[in-house]
Amino acid sequence: MLLKVEDEVLVIAGGDKGHRGKVLVVDRKKNKVVVEGAGLVRKHVRKSQKNPQGGRLSKEMPIHASNVMVIDPTSGQPTRIGVRYLDDGTKERFAKKSGASLGKISPPRDSYKKA
């Protein structure tokens, strides 16, 4: 999974289809992400010292990673993510539609340097 925290994504399936938001949590073992404002559920909370009001709270629940797409930084449209090696051997994520960089993943490696 190539999603990272702080990526802006679009929900492409489910009840929140069409919602845009930032990724708050990435769970790589379960292949799920928590998106800001998407997958909201009501949680009933009893009155306590921590929560003196009590009542119903809104909480974001995880969404499967296949149901979100990263927003392309240049066009603002949803795109797939690819991985490529730069000339200096650095590994980076990129948007497949425009080819724009989405950030580096790993430091330079000698075996991937181009002469």
Side-chain angles (χ1 to χ4, degrees), residues 66-104:
S66 66
N67 293 335
V68 297
M69 285 184 87
V70 172
I71 301 297
D72 192 332
T74 56
S75 66
Q77 297 296 316
T79 182
R80 292 182 178 159
I81 307 172
V83 175
R84 65 182 170 205
Y85 287 94
L86 302 177
D87 292 337
D88 66 344
T90 305
K91 192 175 182 181
E92 77 168 356
R93 300 183 311 151
F94 71 98
K96 291 250 182 170
K97 272 192 182 174
S98 66
S101 175
L102 296 173
K104 296 183 179 178

Side-chain angles (χ1 to χ4, degrees), residues 5 7 15 26 38 49 51 53-54 56-57 59 65 72 88 94 105 109 113:
V5 174
D7 279 346
V26 177
Q49 283 188 344
N51 190 2
Q53 185 73 20
R56 300 183 335 175
L57 300 176
K59 177 183 176 183
D72 192 332
D88 66 344
F94 71 98
I105 298 175
R109 291 186 184 168
K113 282 186 181 176

Side-chain angles (χ1 to χ4, degrees), residues 30-67:
K30 293 182 181 175
N31 207 21
K32 294 191 178 227
V33 293
V34 175
V35 179
E36 184 178 39
L40 290 174
V41 295
R42 296 274 189 191
K43 181 177 180 183
H44 295 73
V45 180
R46 178 175 283 178
K47 290 181 184 179
S48 65
Q49 283 188 344
K50 186 177 179 184
N51 190 2
Q53 185 73 20
R56 300 183 335 175
L57 300 176
S58 290
K59 177 183 176 183
E60 288 119 351
M61 293 300 285
I63 299 172
H64 198 270
S66 66
N67 293 335

